[in-house]
């Protein structure tokens, strides 16, 4: 049987073009604003991480990114997907969660490849070249000064690998964090509490969703801090794609506005939406801090 929309509800006619494009029965301008803002939020998030992926590829480097920032963000999106499965969300929400997780994973893979693998390769090559230069210098000096070999050591001390070891340890710690948090804190900030209540009748599942929502809100809120700290220590945002933070900020902003514009929102549903609002609106402050760093650290031509 074909689905259809009731022509009028409470004197408000449904909007045909929204039904034609999105398949949603929407009545009145306020509800239309809410749902369009929601879809705009999805559009922004679909375009958020890819600019950074492309920039990393073009630069052949991802050192500007904080790996802890990436892994906490990935943890939140993995938890988002698990939350979608646990609370039996709609298929398109699961597909979005898989997409977000895949792109986050790609960013983490780029960081590991460019910073850890190529960084180590470059360090080994540098060590080898310096040792060759040292041996060549010793050979030359020995030929000029008889007995030099007896007075000077033949072994040249290799450069310190402290920086690389520190980077590798940070990466290992972040990976352990994501493994722990992902399996112990499945939740979702992107899943609407209204949908959870309409599709899930089990009280236990609802409470699980609430707990996970608060944990995930904390993850999203704290994810920007390592990147802000890294920018401060570097006194630079070079290598960062501001498009990432712009689309993320717009995605969070439109998501919050869509909740507030919903004409069917009640006091109860708004209370249930508090962790979702904190997870989205709260990150706007941190995104604003990164934009401020961009203005401070970018030289004016």
């Amino acid at each position: 049987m074909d689905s259809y929309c009731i022509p009028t509800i409470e004197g408000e006619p449904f909007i045909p073009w929204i039904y034609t494009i999105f398949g949603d029965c929407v009545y009145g301008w306020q509800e239309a604003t809410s749902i369009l803002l929601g879809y705009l939020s999805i559009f922004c998030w679909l375009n958020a991480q890819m600019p950074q992926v492309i920039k990393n590829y073009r630069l052949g480097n991802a050192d500007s990114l904080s790996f802890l920032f990436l892994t906490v963000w990935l943890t939140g999106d993995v938890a988002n997907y698990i939350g979608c499965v646990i609370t039996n969300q709609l298929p398109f929400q699961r597909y979005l969660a898989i997409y977000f997780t895949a792109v986050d994973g790609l960013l983490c893979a780029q960081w590991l490849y460019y910073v850890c693998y190529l960084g180590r390769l470059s360090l080994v090559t540098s060590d080898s070249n310096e040792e060759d230069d040292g041996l060549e210098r010793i050979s030359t000096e020995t030929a000029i000064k008889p007995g030099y070999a007896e007075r000077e050591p033949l072994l040249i001390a290799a450069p310190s690998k402290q920086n690389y070891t520190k980077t590798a340890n940070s990466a290992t710690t972040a990976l352990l964090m994501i493994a722990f948090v992902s399996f112990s804190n499945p939740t979702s900030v992107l899943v609407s509490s209204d949908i959870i209540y309409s599709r899930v009748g089990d009280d236990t599942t609802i409470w699980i969703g609430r707990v996970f929502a608060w944990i995930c809100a904390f993850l999203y809120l704290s994810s920007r801090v390592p990147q802000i700290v890294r920018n401060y220590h570097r006194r630079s945002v070079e290598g960062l794609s501001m498009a990432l933070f712009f689309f993320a900020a717009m995605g969070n902003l439109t998501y919050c506005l869509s909740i507030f514009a919903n004409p069917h929102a009640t006091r109860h549903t708004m209370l249930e939406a508090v962790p979702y609002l904190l997870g989205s609106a709260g990150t706007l402050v941190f995104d604003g801090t990164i934009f401020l760093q961009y203005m401070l650290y970018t030289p004016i031509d």
Side-chain angles (χ1 to χ4, degrees):
M1 181 178 178
D2 295 334
S3 60
Y4 65 93
C5 295
I6 299 173
T8 304
I9 292 182
E10 297 180 355
E12 294 282 358
F14 90 101
I15 302 175
W17 68 269
I18 292 182
Y19 177 77
T20 301
I21 297 175
F22 300 108
D24 294 312
C25 297
V26 177
Y27 299 84
W29 67 269
Q30 188 175 351
E31 188 175 3
T33 301
S34 176
I35 195 168
L36 291 177
L37 284 170
Y39 282 115
L40 181 58
S41 175
I42 293 174
F43 172 79
C44 290
W45 277 110
L46 286 173
N47 291 277
Q49 293 101 322
M50 286 309 297
Q52 187 65 57
V53 171
I54 295 171
K55 187 157 191 172
N56 292 345
Y57 174 75
R58 288 178 176 173
L59 293 176
N61 189 7
D63 189 57
S64 60
L65 290 166
S66 164
F67 192 62
L68 190 56
F69 160 63
L70 295 178
T71 51
V72 172
W73 203 353
L74 176 59
T75 300
D77 284 334
V78 170
N80 175 39
Y81 173 72
I82 297 174
C84 286
V85 174
I86 289 178
T87 55
N88 193 29
Q89 295 305 301
L90 298 171
F92 89 92
Q93 291 174 291
R94 299 187 189 189
Y95 300 149
L96 285 175
I98 292 172
Y99 170 79
F100 295 143
T101 302
V103 180
D104 290 344
L106 180 57
L107 282 171
C108 290
Q110 283 186 319
W111 193 94
L112 292 172
Y113 177 74
Y114 290 130
V115 177
C116 289
Y117 176 71
L118 291 186
R120 181 178 184 181
L121 206 62
S122 176
L123 185 62
V124 170
T125 303
S126 176
D127 290 349
S128 177
N129 291 338
E130 289 187 15
E131 288 181 6
D132 290 343
D133 292 341
L135 290 174
E136 183 179 350
R137 178 177 57 82
I138 291 173
S139 299
T140 303
E141 293 180 354
T142 302
I144 297 174
K145 300 178 181 180
Y148 180 83
E150 288 76 15
R151 296 194 302 270
E152 296 292 337
L154 291 176
L155 293 178
I156 305 299
S160 172
K161 295 180 177 58
Q162 182 178 0
N163 292 338
Y164 171 74
T165 303
K166 184 177 179 182
T167 299
N169 288 339
S170 299
T172 303
T173 302
L175 286 173
L176 290 174
M177 282 183 59
I178 187 172
F180 173 77
V181 180
S182 295
F183 288 102
S184 62
N185 301 324
T187 182
S188 169
V189 168
L190 298 178
V191 177
S192 169
S193 57
D194 298 273
I195 297 176
I196 290 176
Y197 271 85
S198 64
R199 294 179 59 86
V200 182
D202 181 43
D203 289 340
T204 302
T205 306
I206 291 174
W207 275 104
I208 290 174
R210 287 173 179 170
V211 173
F212 291 160
W214 279 105
I215 295 174
C216 203
F218 171 77
L219 288 175
Y220 282 124
L221 277 172
S222 60
S223 65
R224 305 293 198 277
V225 176
Q227 187 62 55
I228 292 172
V229 172
R230 180 162 181 77
N231 295 344
Y232 174 76
H233 287 159
R234 295 171 66 232
R235 294 294 194 277
S236 173
V237 292
E238 184 179 358
L240 289 183
S241 171
M242 286 298 107
L244 183 155
F245 297 99
F246 172 78
F247 280 115
M250 289 300 100
N252 285 322
L253 179 61
T254 51
Y255 176 78
C256 293
L257 291 177
S258 71
I259 293 178
F260 286 117
N262 185 359
H264 307 295
T266 63
R267 182 176 181 273
H268 177 72
T269 58
M270 290 302 293
L271 287 175
E272 292 293 339
V274 167
Y276 305 98
L277 290 170
L278 283 178
S280 295
T283 56
L284 291 174
V285 177
F286 296 103
D287 288 335
T289 303
I290 292 177
F291 286 122
L292 180 61
Q293 288 180 322
Y294 175 78
M295 290 187 291
L296 290 176
Y297 299 145
T298 302
I300 301 176
D301 296 331

